[in-house]
Amino acid sequence: SDSEGVHLRLIATGEERPLSPPAGAPSSTAFVDSWFPDGTELLAHSDDDAGHQTMWSFSVMGQAGRELRSEAAGWAVSPDGRQVVFSPRSAPSAGSELWVMDSRGENARKVIGFVPGDFIWSARWSPDGRRLVYVRLPRPGPQAMETCDLDGRNRVTVVTAEVRSLSWLPDGWIVYSQGEARDMDANLWRIR
């Protein structure tokens, strides 16, 4: 995505085309969060001029997309495509909670929450869909990558580091980018 909107590029041919935003979505500045497992939709969120975030499903097949939830930013679609993990963006918990809902935007429930001021960044699903991995930025305190089950229990700190993005691979490895002390440099790491 860029200031012109969301684009799809076919790797085999290099062909690129813009994706039409769902009705009501801003035409630009959408942040692509995740593919749906069937490869026909993208999970994305956008900011409007007033700073409100809305979560969307963009179709890559030409069908109209749909709004999934207002005042929310999406993180990822579960491996089976049935659930979405997201963070509410409304006060007082803005960005300090993880929630799960079904892929239609319904049946939302809170998984885990931290004190206001803490911030969650880059949540992803485990390969079997039974755990979440996320980056927590506590205020004050060191940034950490943690996991929890879908009830917010059995929390494990995986690594304490400046994690910028991550992915939990099907073979069990978590690949992540870690910020280094020099400017904006980052290196790729992996851990089980």
Side-chain angles (χ1 to χ4, degrees):
S1 63
D2 60 23
S3 61
E4 302 296 316
V6 177
H7 309 269
L8 178 68
R9 177 176 290 168
L10 300 176
I11 295 173
T13 65
E15 174 191 355
E16 186 175 308
R17 65 180 173 94
L19 297 180
S20 299
S27 60
S28 62
T29 318
F31 303 94
V32 176
D33 302 309
S34 174
W35 280 96
F36 280 78
D38 66 4
T40 65
E41 293 178 276
L42 294 170
L43 177 68
H45 67 273
S46 61
D47 294 324
D48 67 15
D49 292 337
H52 300 285
Q53 289 187 330
T54 304
M55 198 172 14
W56 306 91
S57 166
F58 277 80
S59 171
V60 300
M61 306 300 287
Q63 292 97 345
R66 64 191 191 283
E67 179 179 329
L68 295 176
R69 192 167 202 84
S70 62
E71 297 299 331
W75 290 118
V77 180
S78 64
D80 64 7
R82 294 182 183 164
Q83 299 182 88
V84 173
V85 61
F86 70 97
S87 288
R89 293 298 189 211
S90 54
S93 65
S96 65
E97 297 177 348
L98 281 179
W99 287 58
V100 172
M101 65 181 181
D102 67 33
S103 61
R104 295 178 313 278
E106 300 170 351
N107 302 310
R109 67 177 182 83
K110 181 177 166 181
V111 174
I112 195 167
F114 301 101
V115 299
D118 282 8
F119 192 75
I120 294 174
W121 179 255
S122 198
R124 297 290 182 251
W125 292 87
S126 66
D128 65 6
R130 296 185 346 197
R131 292 185 70 79
L132 298 170
V133 62
Y134 54 91
V135 178
R136 184 166 69 101
L137 291 80
R139 302 286 184 242
Q143 181 175 330
M145 181 190 338
E146 302 174 350
T147 68
C148 69
D149 63 24
L150 297 183
D151 292 320
R153 294 191 297 263
N154 300 308
R155 286 179 42 202
V156 175
T157 299
V158 179
V159 67
T160 301
E162 185 186 325
V163 177
R164 296 185 181 165
S165 61
L166 56 94
S167 182
W168 202 334
L169 303 179
D171 64 2
W173 287 98
I174 297 174
V175 175
Y176 62 99
S177 64
Q178 179 175 312
E180 305 297 339
R182 304 173 307 267
D183 300 318
M184 292 297 293
D185 290 347
N187 289 312
L188 285 177
W189 294 75
R190 72 178 185 168
I191 192 168
R192 282 201 184 272

